[in-house]
Amino acid sequence: MGFFRFIFSKTFLIQLVLAGIVLVVLAFLAMQWLDYSTNQDQRIEVPDLAKLNLDIVEDRLDELNLDFEILDSANFNPDFPRYSVIEQAPAPGKFVKEDRKIYLTLNPSGYRKVEIPENLIRKTRRQVEPTLRSLGFEIGDVSYKPDIAEDAVLEIRHKGKLVEAGEKLMKTSVLDLVLGDGSGRYRELEDDSLDVQQETESEVDEF
């Protein structure tokens, strides 16, 4: 009976209340320390850095106490300024802690150069055009000149200049094609030129 009388005594109840208060205070202090040590209350929204150059990016992230790291450049995108941000991780609008590193992918200075393949001359237009397009080139003007082969590629030109196999041009360069018209006049012209040359040589011999 003495034990039950002690449990329901005023002294025990006061001690129980005090112990509960101490536990609540200790738990509160522990949570505050945990929040402070892990920066749980510090949430920084990641800004949108698309199309910004590195100088602006660095200033903006410094203001937010964020860091950044540049990844390898992507393929050139004409919709973005040169050396500007194309992609970022984490994405804009995400919340991160202080000193979080933002990973950036930059737009290079321009298109890379692509080599003109060999063995395109004398192939048909149907064979050459897909090959050039798959390499990133664009097909411009298509013209014809006398030749025995119809639709065979006789010349590839860029800005009026003859392009040779192995030459490197910027991706998306416009290439003009000169094709044979299939008339056979090229052979006729060669024969006529040969006849004129033979006649000239005969006249010189007679002289």
Side-chain angles (χ1 to χ4, degrees):
M1 294 297 294
F3 175 73
F4 289 103
R5 187 176 298 175
F6 173 74
I7 292 177
F8 292 103
S9 67
K10 184 177 181 181
T11 302
F12 177 77
L13 293 176
I14 291 174
Q15 291 176 350
L16 187 62
V17 171
L18 291 176
I21 293 174
V22 171
L23 288 176
V24 171
V25 172
L26 290 176
F28 176 77
L29 293 176
M31 292 298 296
Q32 291 296 316
W33 178 83
L34 185 63
D35 287 343
Y36 176 79
S37 62
T38 58
N39 291 327
Q40 290 293 333
D41 62 336
Q42 193 166 22
R43 289 162 54 85
I44 303 173
E45 184 175 358
V46 178
D48 188 358
L49 304 174
K51 298 187 177 182
L52 300 181
N53 62 44
L54 281 181
D55 291 335
I56 298 177
V57 168
E58 186 172 6
D59 292 341
R60 185 163 298 185
L61 293 181
D62 281 343
E63 293 174 357
L64 298 173
N65 294 321
L66 297 175
D67 199 0
F68 70 92
E69 181 176 333
I70 300 174
L71 303 177
D72 292 338
S73 298
N75 291 327
F76 179 68
N77 188 334
D79 296 330
F80 287 73
R82 296 180 178 183
Y83 303 112
S84 67
V85 176
I86 293 182
E87 296 177 358
Q88 65 180 86
K94 297 288 185 179
F95 287 92
V96 298
K97 299 178 185 179
E98 184 179 352
D99 295 327
R100 172 65 187 271
K101 187 174 291 186
I102 310 300
Y103 295 92
L104 306 176
T105 301
L106 301 183
N107 198 27
S109 61
Y111 289 111
R112 64 184 178 88
K113 288 190 174 183
V114 181
E115 184 175 320
I116 301 295
E118 298 181 358
N119 304 322
L120 295 182
I121 302 302
R122 287 291 168 182
K123 285 190 176 181
T124 64
R125 177 182 179 181
R126 184 177 297 181
Q127 293 173 306
V128 172
E129 278 196 9
T131 300
L132 294 177
R133 292 185 191 277
S134 68
L135 294 173
F137 296 114
E138 297 180 9
I139 304 301
D141 295 334
V142 177
S143 59
Y144 292 85
K145 67 187 255 184
D147 190 82
I148 192 171
E150 184 176 1
D151 268 352
V153 175
L154 306 179
E155 298 175 0
I156 300 175
R157 294 184 172 271
H158 175 60
K159 296 182 178 180
K161 179 184 175 182
L162 185 65
V163 176
E164 302 289 346
E167 187 173 344
K168 291 186 177 181
L169 297 175
M170 286 290 186
K171 192 175 181 180
T172 74
S173 295
V174 179
L175 301 180
D176 300 325
L177 302 181
V178 180
L179 309 178
D181 61 5
S183 65
R185 290 173 54 198
Y186 180 75
R187 179 64 62 185
E188 294 174 2
L189 290 174
E190 278 190 341
D191 294 340
D192 292 342
S193 176
L194 184 60
D195 291 341
V196 171
Q197 182 179 357
Q198 289 176 347
E199 290 178 1
T200 304
E201 290 177 353
S202 298
E203 292 176 357
V204 170
D205 291 340
E206 292 177 358
F207 180 78

